[in-house]
């Protein structure tokens, strides 16, 4: 056997081995991206929900705090929507945004104790999505 076919076979085997090793790494990137999206999203959501709950409980002392907190949450949600490419996380972020809009409407209509259930439900959904 000449050296050329052996060399071609070695190159083919080397390329196949490289492809076989690269496939799990690229497949793993999707999982890593999702985990990173989850961590960033969950962290921002937890802080925002906590801030909102505090603002609602302090509404009598500072009624503008709810509006400021809702604006802050809206800004965080805009950033999160731009950062994640995971469809499930995007939907949960959208649901959270709708909950924020509902709370904002309730507060503008004079409700000092708005329903936070849609917001906590969306935060819970994010927790489910991010659980391996």
């Amino acid at each position: 056997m000449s050296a050329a076919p052996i060399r071609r076979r070695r190159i083919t085997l080397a390329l196949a081995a490289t492809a076989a090793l690269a496939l799990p790494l690229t497949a793993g990137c999707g999982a890593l991206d999702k985990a990173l999206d989850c961590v960033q999203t969950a962290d921002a959501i937890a802080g925002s929900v906590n801030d909102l709950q505090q603002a609602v409980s302090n509404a009598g002392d500072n009624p503008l705090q709810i509006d400021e907190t809702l604006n802050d949450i809206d800004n965080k949600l805009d950033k999160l929507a731009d950062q994640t490419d995971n469809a499930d996380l995007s939907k949960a972020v959208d649901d959270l945004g709708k909950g924020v809009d509902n709370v904002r409407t309730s507060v503008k209509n004079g409700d000092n104790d708005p329903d936070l259930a849609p917001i906590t439900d969306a935060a819970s959904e994010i927790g489910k999505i991010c659980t391996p």
Side-chain angles (χ1 to χ4, degrees):
M1 204 178 237
S2 71
I6 293 173
R7 196 165 97 212
R8 256 187 257 135
R9 189 176 309 155
R10 285 183 185 164
I11 291 172
T12 302
L13 288 173
L15 289 173
T18 301
L21 289 174
L23 183 60
L25 292 176
T26 57
C29 286
L32 182 59
D33 286 344
K34 180 179 178 182
L36 184 57
D37 285 344
C38 283
V39 169
Q40 291 171 340
T41 303
D43 184 43
I45 297 307
S48 297
V49 170
N50 185 42
D51 292 347
L52 183 58
Q53 288 172 334
Q54 263 186 321
V56 168
S57 66
N58 295 332
D61 297 333
N62 185 1
L64 295 176
Q65 186 180 7
I66 294 175
D67 195 47
E68 291 170 4
T69 303
L70 291 171
N71 289 337
D72 183 54
I73 292 171
D74 276 337
N75 290 334
K76 288 178 183 177
L77 290 176
D78 288 343
K79 289 177 186 175
L80 290 172
D82 291 341
Q83 290 175 351
T84 187
D85 59 353
N86 180 283
D88 293 334
L89 282 176
S90 292
K91 182 182 179 325
V93 168
D94 288 344
D95 290 346
L96 186 60
K98 290 174 188 172
V100 166
D101 292 342
N102 291 339
V103 169
R104 187 183 307 278
T105 300
S106 295
V107 169
K108 283 183 181 180
N109 291 334
D111 186 357
N112 287 332
D113 190 22
D115 181 18
L116 299 181
I119 292 174
T120 56
D121 290 348
S124 175
E125 183 63 23
I126 289 169
K128 290 178 190 173
I129 293 167
C130 293
T131 302

